[in-house]
Amino acid sequence: MWQIIKNEWHFLIRTSAFLRISIGFLLTLLLAVYLGNLQFDQQEIHYQIAKDHLRAQWEDIDEMNPHSAAHYGTYVFKPVNLSSSLDEGIYCVTGNVLRVEGHVQNEVVHSEASQMQAVSRFGKLKSALLLQYILPLLLVFLAFHSVSSEKQSGRLKLLILQGAKLSSLVWAKALSVWLYGIGLLTLTVWAYAFVNLTEISTEVMVRTLFFYLSYGMYYFIVSTLTIYLSARWQNATVALTSMLGIWILWTVFLPNILMSAVESWYELPSRNVFQAAMKEDRSKGLDGHNPADDRTAALEEKVLKQYGVDTIAQLPINFDGILMQADEEYGNQVWDKHFGNLRTTLRLQKQRYQLAGIINPFISLQNASMGFAASDNLHHHEFLVQAENYRRDLIKALNNEHAYGGSRTGDWSWKANNDFFRSIPDFEYKPVALVSVYSHYAMDMAMMVVWVLFVSGLLFVGTQKIQIL
């Protein structure tokens, strides 16, 4: 079999058109790797500059009322992962800046797509764009006539008469095409590793390995299926048309149709409905600026009893701070309810969409590629959760300082000093554990393994029924 593969490669290398296309595509791939790395470096620099600037601004607060500081707030930035230079995923549309302040859980803003029309319409030139759409097309054009042309020319019959096994011939052709895809994929990964040699960690290496495996399996599926069609059809044009139809169905129609179906089964509320529902629930709770509220009265009674006094004015602490923290905690319950429902719906949408990989391996490839490149919804939501936890800790520290820092109820002119503001830690994002990433995308990898077994069986059984002219 290896001799047949070597012969196939000798034939391909002698074809000048093949060499020109391969070199051109390889240069484009290397350019995509370089640009992806350049963008990562620039994002990393801007991220650090903005983070340091906001921290310095916070630490420079000389004296300020803690509640004013809660309204003043600060910003946290979504960090970039080195792996995302291979696949941008959803990050160009989700935004990367989040304001954290009291009384409200804000949304992420400043996405690249909202600021650059070209990005919103065409996306960015990333390695994944070429590896997902263009390289499989090259494999199709390389394989569609591989067997059918041998049949039409009578060469296949001659090789069989000389003692060659039909199954070995067909498998050798499939593997030679697959190895072409693997070769370009390997060069891409090597180039990525070379330009990031000093920054690659164990985590990035493991992510890249799974990224490589997912693409390797997809290229095997495309190569083997194209060779199968080439062997089954007598005419190479029919084989090419069939495979191009499958490619268009996989990459254009099915992802949109299936995602629309999943979104209709598990529908998300509109922005207006979502915000109105939260506002309604929020209004039923404590209002930090409305001491006449029933909940305020209950809290006031509890605090007076705790300190053994009759009026708020007799309290040795600032009741306003306690009231505002109680309001925040009620607001957290409201946000946990609504954002929790939202995340549950998104998770169900994602899981059902992953099941679609059984009829479309391209969906599994896209999911796995984004997941292992750390540019998917899982990583985005993890940032939102960590940012919200930080916001709650920050606002609680400010409210506690307002309540117990030395002021009395009604004294809004009281100010905390600089030492207090400097003592509040900065936001630090903790990367998603690899175990969690793998568990989320095990289904996509399993789907592609099923497809590898299916096309292998298809080629094995199909070659038994080939008519040799």
Side-chain angles (χ1 to χ4, degrees), residues 105-132:
Q105 185 178 146
N106 291 311
E107 298 179 0
V108 182
V109 294
H110 294 301
S111 67
E112 290 182 84
S114 67
Q115 302 171 63
M116 300 172 67
Q117 189 178 8
V119 173
S120 64
R121 296 185 63 182
F122 306 110
K124 290 193 290 188
L125 180 61
K126 290 285 184 176
S127 305
L129 183 70
L130 300 171
L131 294 174
Q132 288 176 12

Side-chain angles (χ1 to χ4, degrees), residues 378-379 382 432-442:
L378 170 68
H379 292 78
E382 183 61 27
V432 181
L434 277 174
V435 174
S436 177
V437 177
Y438 182 75
S439 65
H440 274 78
Y441 293 99

Side-chain angles (χ1 to χ4, degrees), residues 31-97:
L31 176 64
V33 171
Y34 171 75
L35 291 176
N37 182 69
L38 184 65
Q39 185 192 29
F40 168 78
D41 288 341
Q42 290 176 343
Q43 286 179 328
E44 185 71 9
I45 291 171
H46 292 155
Y47 166 79
Q48 201 58 52
I49 290 175
K51 189 172 185 291
D52 292 345
H53 173 73
L54 264 296
R55 183 59 189 174
Q57 198 175 51
W58 179 264
E59 292 186 349
D60 283 345
I61 297 175
D62 187 18
E63 287 185 337
M64 183 181 282
N65 179 272
H67 188 62
S68 299
H71 282 285
Y72 177 74
T74 187
Y75 292 86
V76 296
F77 303 93
K78 184 164 60 180
V80 288
N81 189 298
L82 182 58
S83 301
S84 64
S85 63
L86 285 172
D87 189 342
E88 185 74 7
I90 64 167
Y91 271 29
C92 66
V93 297
T94 54
N96 48 28
V97 181

Side-chain angles (χ1 to χ4, degrees), residues 371-411:
F372 296 125
S375 57
D376 61 336
N377 257 322
L378 170 68
H379 292 78
H380 177 65
H381 286 154
E382 183 61 27
F383 165 74
L384 294 179
V385 169
Q386 291 188 27
E388 173 59 16
N389 289 337
Y390 175 76
R391 188 194 73 83
R392 294 182 183 186
D393 291 341
L394 171 67
I395 300 304
K396 185 176 182 179
L398 293 171
N399 284 334
N400 285 345
E401 181 67 9
H402 191 80
Y404 308 109
S407 66
R408 303 293 291 268
T409 305
D411 185 8

Side-chain angles (χ1 to χ4, degrees), residues 100-168:
V100 292
E101 59 179 324
H103 305 307
V104 64
Q105 185 178 146
N106 291 311
E107 298 179 0
V108 182
V109 294
H110 294 301
S111 67
E112 290 182 84
S114 67
Q115 302 171 63
M116 300 172 67
Q117 189 178 8
V119 173
S120 64
R121 296 185 63 182
F122 306 110
K124 290 193 290 188
L125 180 61
K126 290 285 184 176
S127 305
L129 183 70
L130 300 171
L131 294 174
Q132 288 176 12
Y133 291 92
I134 308 302
L135 185 46
L137 268 183
L138 289 180
L139 299 183
V140 170
F141 283 111
L142 203 59
F144 78 94
H145 61 75
S146 186
V147 179
S148 55
S149 63
E150 299 270 17
K151 286 194 295 183
Q152 287 178 323
S153 67
R155 187 167 179 268
L156 184 61
K157 185 177 181 179
L158 182 63
L159 290 171
I160 299 297
L161 290 175
Q162 289 175 344
K165 290 183 178 179
L166 179 59
S167 59
S168 297

